[in-house]
Amino acid sequence: MVRPKPDTDLLQFLKHVSLDCVVFGFHDNQLKILLTRIKNTELWALPGGFVRKEESLESAANRVLNERTGLDNIFLKPFNVFGDPGRSEKNPIANEIIISGVNNGLEWFNQRFISVGFYALVDFSKAVPSPDIFSDLCIWKNLNETSSLILDHNKILNSALETLRLQVNYQPLGYNLLPEKFTMPELQNLYETILGKDLDRRNFQRRMLSFKILNKLEERKTGGAHKAPFLYEFNLQNYRQALQNGLYGGW
Amino acid sequence: MVRPKPDTDLLQFLKHVSLDCVVFGFHDNQLKILLTRIKNTELWALPGGFVRKEESLESAANRVLNERTGLDNIFLKPFNVFGDPGRSEKNPIANEIIISGVNNGLEWFNQRFISVGFYALVDFSKAVPSPDIFSDLCIWKNLNETSSLILDHNKILNSALETLRLQVNYQPLGYNLLPEKFTMPELQNLYETILGKDLDRRNFQRRMLSFKILNKLEERKTGGAHKAPFLYEFNLQNYRQALQNGLYGGW
């Protein structure tokens, strides 16, 4: 990544508007969240950024996520807006601005920001996380390791999770998160992590198959200790139709 | 409405952030949209506003909608964010600012705004529309009378409609829009307007009743020329549960 000149960087952005990204990945049967660690601290944050004066909001989100993951064409969606008056006070990144000596930065930065939350679903195996200019680390964390993020970032993360929780009741999920071929237990594990509860194995399989969004393959997963489970792939035509009309069909 | 002092008014708001409200009502078997007409023009706009420096985004939306409709506790939700760089150029309200002589207004106003779209569902019969300081009229229009709004307001309106269209596939709709008691044809008409297509009468009734969100009343609608249809009300407990888990139940 080419670092922008720090003394002009912040002034090319809109005031008062930021974006925060909840980036979901799935690996080792765990839902993962991409986090950055702020330089010279032990504080963790959602990857975020600002909107350039000449750029659309979606372009800004794509740019930020490309910088953090190395990926293009990421599946991302705005899911909520966070605008409480006190939400961005005492931002620990302000210290980093002082230390790094960004001119004009602190005044610009110490204002109130209204943040647009985007969630992104990415293929864990293809992402190459890298930190931004305010952080020294950008890594995947398990959901249960995300309990004390800066500012209102836990609220933002919870709101993104809540969005996914509602969506799994009426829309398919998994295409952007799972590898091309996956087992039914892997898919169930993804659902269980998002819902935060255990599901009955047989009911899950029966209901999931009833949506006609899966193709069962002739192959079985290799390498496991137990009896190897069958592999599945998404039936993309039906998957996309179910995204549009809902899992139970439209009117 | 007490008019704020025009020379200080705009400076109490955040720069670069606005909100636009798509207010839906239902009357005479028509889906209605609340619009304002900009003073000294024939131009129509969605009701909108800005965010005070000390106020949350939700409070701002509630304040704006209270000013336009006289209603409190309106059902409203942010549904999308509109952030294209050129979206607020050549805003016809700028002329109104010049004419009204608002000091410091034009410079503030001529910047780029990122607008948060809220949709609201209100009881048509209880709303008392009133214009804001930039408009001379605030009235309900039928959906088919909303084709040439200012700026990107048609895009915002379509995005709100698209949100409702997706939602009727998996969530109940109607509680905030219909009167307490309504007929099945009235409910079907609401759905048909949102979906932009005709639905089969018997299929609609069968499917709608299968969701268990309606109570059939012993009364019939009076005053019609045809055989009077039965009245229904929403079963609020089931309705709210279906809002949460989807019409087909959760996992």
Side-chain angles (χ1 to χ4, degrees):
Chain A
M1 191 182 77
V2 180
R3 277 205 186 191
K5 279 190 227 156
D7 59 338
T8 57
D9 193 36
L10 292 178
L11 295 178
Q12 62 179 304
F13 296 108
L14 289 184
K15 288 181 179 181
H16 295 299
V17 181
S18 61
L19 49 96
D20 287 298
C21 301
V22 183
V23 186
F24 293 104
F26 194 69
H27 183 64
D28 268 350
N29 270 332
Q30 291 277 347
L31 192 68
K32 307 272 185 178
I33 317 285
L34 198 65
L35 295 181
T36 61
R37 190 178 65 187
I38 296 164
K39 276 183 187 167
N40 308 307
T41 73
E42 292 296 319
L43 302 170
W44 294 87
L46 296 172
F50 304 107
V51 183
R52 288 197 180 130
K53 284 174 179 164
E54 78 289 357
E55 142 188 272
S56 76
L57 203 55
E58 285 72 21
S59 306
N62 270 300
R63 173 177 52 74
V64 167
L65 286 176
N66 173 260
E67 287 171 4
R68 292 293 77 66
T69 65
L71 299 173
D72 291 311
N73 299 317
I74 292 176
F75 177 92
L76 61 88
K77 272 191 180 178
F79 64 92
N80 209 340
V81 186
F82 301 87
D84 283 350
R87 67 170 292 279
S88 42
E89 279 170 15
K90 296 185 184 167
N91 192 332
I93 297 175
N95 283 324
E96 187 46 41
I97 289 182
I98 297 171
I99 292 167
S100 64
V102 178
N103 294 329
N104 299 315
L106 205 57
E107 189 196 353
W108 180 88
F109 195 80
N110 268 342
Q111 299 169 100
R112 176 178 168 197
F113 280 90
I114 288 197
S115 193
V116 182
F118 282 84
Y119 77 83
L121 307 177
V122 312
D123 184 339
F124 178 92
S125 67
K126 292 185 179 145
V128 183
S130 45
D132 62 19
I133 57 167
F134 302 121
S135 57
D136 58 9
L137 206 58
C138 179
I139 57 172
W140 294 102
K141 291 271 198 178
N142 292 337
L143 189 56
N144 60 11
E145 300 169 314
T146 59
S147 59
S148 49
L149 307 179
I150 64 164
L151 302 177
D152 58 354
H153 286 201
N154 278 102
K155 183 179 170 185
I156 297 174
L157 170 55
N158 285 335
S159 175
L161 266 176
E162 195 54 45
T163 304
L164 292 192
R165 263 177 212 142
L166 278 173
Q167 281 185 13
V168 293
N169 289 335
Y170 56 81
Q171 279 189 326
L173 185 122
Y175 174 59
N176 302 281
L177 283 169
L178 292 170
E180 200 184 336
K181 301 171 182 182
F182 50 87
T183 65
M184 193 61 81
E186 284 167 342
L187 185 61
Q188 179 171 342
N189 216 301
L190 172 59
Y191 274 63
E192 287 179 336
T193 317
I194 288 170
L195 293 165
K197 66 177 183 188
D198 292 340
L199 300 171
D200 178 74
R201 188 178 63 79
R202 269 193 281 189
N203 283 343
F204 179 82
Q205 171 154 340
R206 188 176 37 74
R207 190 164 175 184
M208 191 52 74
L209 291 177
S210 75
F211 298 141
K212 314 280 186 208
I213 57 170
L214 295 176
N215 294 331
K216 189 174 181 178
L217 302 174
E218 293 301 312
E219 309 164 55
R220 288 171 186 267
K221 176 129 181 165
T222 52
H226 301 283
K227 190 188 166 198
F230 275 105
L231 286 165
Y232 291 83
E233 64 179 11
F234 285 111
N235 178 324
L236 276 191
Q237 195 184 342
N238 292 358
Y239 188 99
R240 287 190 181 123
Q241 207 171 343
L243 270 184
Q244 188 65 35
N245 296 329
L247 286 166
Y248 300 89
W251 284 92
Chain B
M1 192 181 79
V2 179
R3 274 204 189 191
K5 280 190 229 159
D7 60 338
T8 56
D9 193 36
L10 292 177
L11 294 178
Q12 61 177 305
F13 296 109
L14 289 184
K15 289 181 179 181
H16 296 299
V17 180
S18 60
L19 49 95
D20 286 298
C21 302
V22 182
V23 186
F24 293 103
F26 194 69
H27 182 63
D28 268 351
N29 269 332
Q30 292 276 347
L31 192 66
K32 308 272 186 178
I33 317 286
L34 198 65
L35 296 182
T36 61
R37 190 177 65 186
I38 296 163
K39 274 183 187 168
N40 308 307
T41 74
E42 292 295 320
L43 302 170
W44 294 88
L46 296 171
F50 304 107
V51 183
R52 288 197 180 130
K53 284 174 180 165
E54 78 288 358
E55 148 187 86
S56 78
L57 203 54
E58 285 71 22
S59 305
N62 271 299
R63 173 178 52 75
V64 166
L65 286 175
N66 172 260
E67 287 171 4
R68 292 294 76 67
T69 65
L71 299 173
D72 291 311
N73 299 317
I74 292 177
F75 177 93
L76 61 86
K77 271 191 181 178
F79 64 92
N80 209 339
V81 185
F82 301 87
D84 284 351
R87 66 170 293 279
S88 43
E89 280 171 16
K90 297 185 184 167
N91 192 332
I93 296 175
N95 283 323
E96 186 46 40
I97 290 182
I98 297 172
I99 292 165
S100 64
V102 177
N103 294 329
N104 299 315
L106 205 59
E107 190 196 352
W108 180 87
F109 194 80
N110 268 343
Q111 299 171 99
R112 176 178 168 197
F113 280 91
I114 289 197
S115 193
V116 182
F118 282 83
Y119 78 84
L121 307 177
V122 311
D123 185 338
F124 178 92
S125 68
K126 292 186 179 145
V128 183
S130 46
D132 62 19
I133 58 167
F134 302 121
S135 57
D136 58 8
L137 206 58
C138 178
I139 57 171
W140 294 101
K141 291 272 200 178
N142 291 336
L143 189 56
N144 60 11
E145 300 169 315
T146 59
S147 58
S148 48
L149 307 179
I150 65 164
L151 303 177
D152 58 354
H153 286 200
N154 278 104
K155 183 179 169 185
I156 297 174
L157 170 54
N158 285 334
S159 174
L161 267 176
E162 195 55 42
T163 304
L164 291 191
R165 263 175 213 144
L166 278 174
Q167 281 185 14
V168 293
N169 289 335
Y170 57 81
Q171 279 189 326
L173 184 121
Y175 175 58
N176 302 282
L177 284 169
L178 293 170
E180 202 185 334
K181 299 172 182 181
F182 51 86
T183 66
M184 193 62 80
E186 284 167 344
L187 186 60
Q188 179 171 342
N189 216 300
L190 172 60
Y191 274 64
E192 288 180 335
T193 318
I194 288 170
L195 292 165
K197 65 178 182 187
D198 291 340
L199 299 172
D200 178 75
R201 189 179 61 79
R202 270 194 280 189
N203 283 344
F204 179 82
Q205 171 154 338
R206 188 175 39 75
R207 192 163 174 184
M208 191 53 75
L209 291 176
S210 75
F211 299 141
K212 315 279 187 209
I213 57 170
L214 296 175
N215 294 331
K216 190 175 182 179
L217 303 175
E218 292 302 313
E219 307 164 57
R220 288 171 186 266
K221 177 128 180 166
T222 52
H226 300 283
K227 189 188 167 199
F230 276 105
L231 286 165
Y232 291 84
E233 64 179 11
F234 286 111
N235 177 324
L236 276 190
Q237 196 185 341
N238 291 358
Y239 189 99
R240 289 191 181 123
Q241 207 171 343
L243 270 183
Q244 188 64 36
N245 296 329
L247 286 166
Y248 300 89
W251 284 93

